[in-house]
Amino acid sequence: MANDLTIHLVDDEESLRRSLTFLLVSAGFAVRTHSSAKAFLELLPLSRRSCLVTDLRMPEIDGIELLQRLRRLRLNVPVIVITAQGDIAAAVRAMKAGASDFLEKPLREEALIAAINAAVGQKRSGGIIADSESVAARLRQLTEREHQVLAGVLDGLQNKMIAYQLGISARTVEVHRANVMAKMGARNLAELMRMAIAVAQPIENAKALSGHGAWAPAR
């Protein structure tokens, strides 16, 4: 997919920009680097087919705000967010802001290249992983407790917090979360988030399943 694709790399750490540029150029991509989100925004509009790889935590304009600005500008460019301080809440915010994927540093070469190819492929196909009916059918396979755990994950909560809210052990949450991923056919959190976005109303229904939101204890 490289060919006519330009990767725009936004990170305030020079050493990381150099190492990722070497990696991506070696993989056949054209790369342009930017030391800040502001520097990238000044380049707009983009003249070639592009994919943005941006750090999450940067001074002045961070990765989330950059995504929000791109959305306001209605720029349909696939975005991969990277961070050394990643957590579920950050991943959820990034996906809700429009990121195609979320990767933690140190980055694995194959993971980054796969994420770029997948992100560009999603944009070409309209960004659809599975039709909403299929995803809704998978949601209906979840138990009440699995719905509650899913709602917690999509709210960006850590397993321990979900466990506290539901009055169960963190280990039990891990088991339910693994079951959710398997039943939904999601390989990672980013894919699960894209499914949730595709069927936003069913997810809201899942949160309200018990009549008290996600955190009503099971009887």
Side-chain angles (χ1 to χ4, degrees):
M1 278 194 186
N3 298 325
D4 64 332
L5 179 68
T6 297
I7 307 300
H8 290 272
L9 176 60
V10 181
D11 197 296
D12 59 327
E13 185 180 340
E14 184 178 356
S15 60
L16 186 128
R17 293 199 306 272
R18 286 201 303 266
S19 63
L20 288 187
T21 297
F22 177 79
L23 183 159
L24 293 169
V25 169
S26 298
F29 293 101
V31 180
R32 291 195 62 170
T33 63
H34 313 273
S35 60
S36 68
K38 181 180 179 182
F40 171 73
L41 290 170
E42 289 175 348
L43 184 68
L44 300 179
L46 303 175
S47 59
R48 298 186 61 193
R49 191 166 66 96
S50 302
C51 179
L52 173 62
V53 178
T54 179
D55 193 15
L56 178 64
R57 304 182 188 280
M58 298 182 290
E60 296 184 19
I61 302 174
D62 64 17
I64 300 297
E65 185 177 349
L66 175 56
L67 279 161
Q68 293 168 341
R69 292 195 184 196
L70 292 177
R71 175 182 287 180
R72 288 196 295 270
L73 292 170
R74 298 184 180 180
L75 292 178
N76 190 32
V77 55
V79 181
I80 296 166
V81 172
I82 60 176
T83 182
Q85 303 173 2
D87 56 22
I88 293 177
V92 170
R93 291 201 315 275
M95 296 302 297
K96 287 182 176 179
S100 299
D101 212 335
F102 182 95
L103 300 176
E104 289 189 84
K105 302 174 187 175
L107 298 174
R108 292 183 296 111
E109 177 179 352
E110 62 273 19
L112 178 58
I113 292 173
I116 290 172
N117 288 334
V120 174
Q122 288 158 21
K123 287 298 181 182
R124 281 181 163 179
S125 63
I128 300 173
I129 287 186
D131 64 86
S132 58
E133 285 298 323
S134 173
V135 175
R138 297 176 201 179
L139 277 171
R140 289 193 291 271
Q141 296 178 28
L142 303 184
T143 66
E144 180 174 351
R145 183 63 90 195
E146 287 165 356
H147 274 291
Q148 293 170 337
V149 170
L150 170 60
V153 170
L154 297 180
D155 279 341
L157 299 181
Q158 299 285 349
N159 287 348
K160 289 183 179 180
M161 181 56 71
I162 296 174
Y164 174 78
Q165 297 281 8
L166 294 176
I168 58 179
S169 70
R171 175 57 185 158
T172 300
V173 171
E174 290 177 9
V175 172
H176 286 310
R177 181 170 170 172
N179 289 340
V180 169
M181 297 293 283
K183 289 181 180 180
M184 294 301 295
R187 291 167 295 182
N188 51 46
L189 178 62
E191 196 163 278
L192 187 64
M193 281 299 303
R194 286 194 292 271
M195 290 180 180
I197 292 169
V199 286
Q201 190 56 51
I203 288 293
E204 289 305 312
N205 291 343
K207 289 184 179 182
L209 184 68
S210 65
H212 298 279
W215 309 124
R219 297 183 185 275

